Amino acid sequence: MLTITLLGSVLTVLVTQAAVAAPPSKAGPPASARTASPSDAPDFGPNVKIFDPSMSSSDIQSQLDSISNQQQGNEFGGDRYAVMFKPGTYNNDVNVGYYTQALGLGLNPDDVTINGGVHVQDQNGGALVNFWRGAENFAVNPSGGTDTWAVSQSSPMRRVDIHGDLQLSDSGYSSGGFLADSNVTGQVRSGSQQQWLSRNTSWGSWDGSNWNMVFVGAQNAPAQSFPNPPDTTVDQTPVVREKPFLYVDGSGNYQVFAPSVRTNTAGTTWGSGTAPGKSLPISQFYIAKPADTADTINSALASGKNLLFTPGVYHLSSEIHVTRPDTVVLGLGLATLTPDNGNAAMKVDDVNGVEIAGLLLDAGQTNSPVLLEVGPSGSGADHSGDPTTLSDVFFRVGGAGVGKVSQAAVINSNNVITDDTWIWRADHGDGVGWNDNTADNGLVVNGDNVTAYGLAVEHFQQYQVIWNGNDGRTYFFQNEMPYDVPDQGTWRGGGNGYAAYKVADTVTNHQAWGLGSYCYFSTNPSVVADRAFEVPNTPGVSLHGLVTVSLGGTGTITNIINDTGGSVNSGNTVADLSNYP
């Protein structure tokens, strides 16, 4: 990513390399051949490594190091891995690289303890492109007392219990991240992080802020103080369902735990015991492999199965279609869905309670109208009692090869919850350029009562987000406008440019907290955006904790929101606004 980040007086430019897209896969065996009974050891494929505390630490470390060494520089490669730890204690160092998930297999985080570290360090002088990885569901006793998770987008840390301190950057720059349902006994240090979302967390103390630190349902969080210091704090999380996860029960059987929806909460789900929810035996899941076709997967869904994607890249000649209420779709190791024929990657009917988690949707070479559609156009059912949730669902257009899409994600259903979403039109890698990886919009919300936590959308060629539904809520928004606008005449909305976050004029109620939009018009620094945020002037619409940044002074955003707020340009690189109106 050609990224410029300005912190204090130091300017860093980071250019990373392109890599090769994954090759297409062949068809796999029928659904009936891929479903394990509860007593079987599931076949998760060769790229899932399952560790047991009876194994020697040196053998475990050797496998961890082999994967880490392969994946550290594999930014656009096709390999995907999940490293999973059965309940017990381990003395190991888990260095998490690209497309790698480190997962504990206990029902509660402290069922798995890792003495050593589960960490991410800087690469090439910083963490600005430390994407696409994750850590979930274990306790860590970090060597030296501090665990380091130096990441940017699409690198969530969930359900962890850090017995010590946690630092969110290394020695260089970092840009955004997500911590949820986690506890840190010591101090969390944000360091160089530009923005960060902490949701339903607890810790001993928090230190640090740059442009916008956002806390929602976080116990012992800093008090609301934006912009001095720039901390945006919401005491309770209004409605959320935590991400489903794989675990091994007391009899050695694999199950998927699906947490319940919770309202008006603070802190973790597990601090006072096992989280509320339901366990689904692995026999109720079709275990997909990268060779599977969409027809094979849809046949399994139609038979009533839930879906577990093992690590890999899935090339799809037609869409995966989720029709059954309460279906769980869970990806391991950043499983990646790529449409090959201008089709969608996945569509979901307007039904209750679908849970989609842990997937990367990667646009194909033929333009798709949409990658993920939740509910068909015109959906109108009330799902407030059992909402659909998207947890750690990421989107990419270009970078691993030419990708094209009109609108990456479209939400037509009501009451949908998104929880950690990065929607990225690539600014580096392969197949990147204004006329190459074309994409109009990142997210379009047409449903009512949609709630977004940790929403990052970057570089799309028109509005980054269009919100048409009523009663929407966003907690943390991070955006970088398209870097490669060739000239002002090419990029117009109602005036100069397109706002990053557009709430439709017909909307009467919308709330948002902790929003940031940056410009870096490197192709043509004379490009101007009239505003970063565009909303109707109506009493029911209000936004809180807004910041705009001209990265390195390269380009101009004239107003923060509508016709209000300071300009950012070569003479003034940061502007903020506490509340609008």
Side-chain angles (χ1 to χ4, degrees), residues 419-436:
D419 192 42
D420 186 31
T421 306
W422 187 39
I423 308 175
W424 186 56
R425 176 179 169 262
D427 61 349
H428 66 279
D430 188 24
V432 170
W434 186 259
N435 296 313
D436 297 317

Side-chain angles (χ1 to χ4, degrees), residues 533-550:
F533 306 96
E534 187 174 318
V535 303
N537 289 310
T538 185
V541 175
S542 61
L543 281 68
H544 315 276
L546 301 96
V547 62
T548 56
V549 182
S550 177

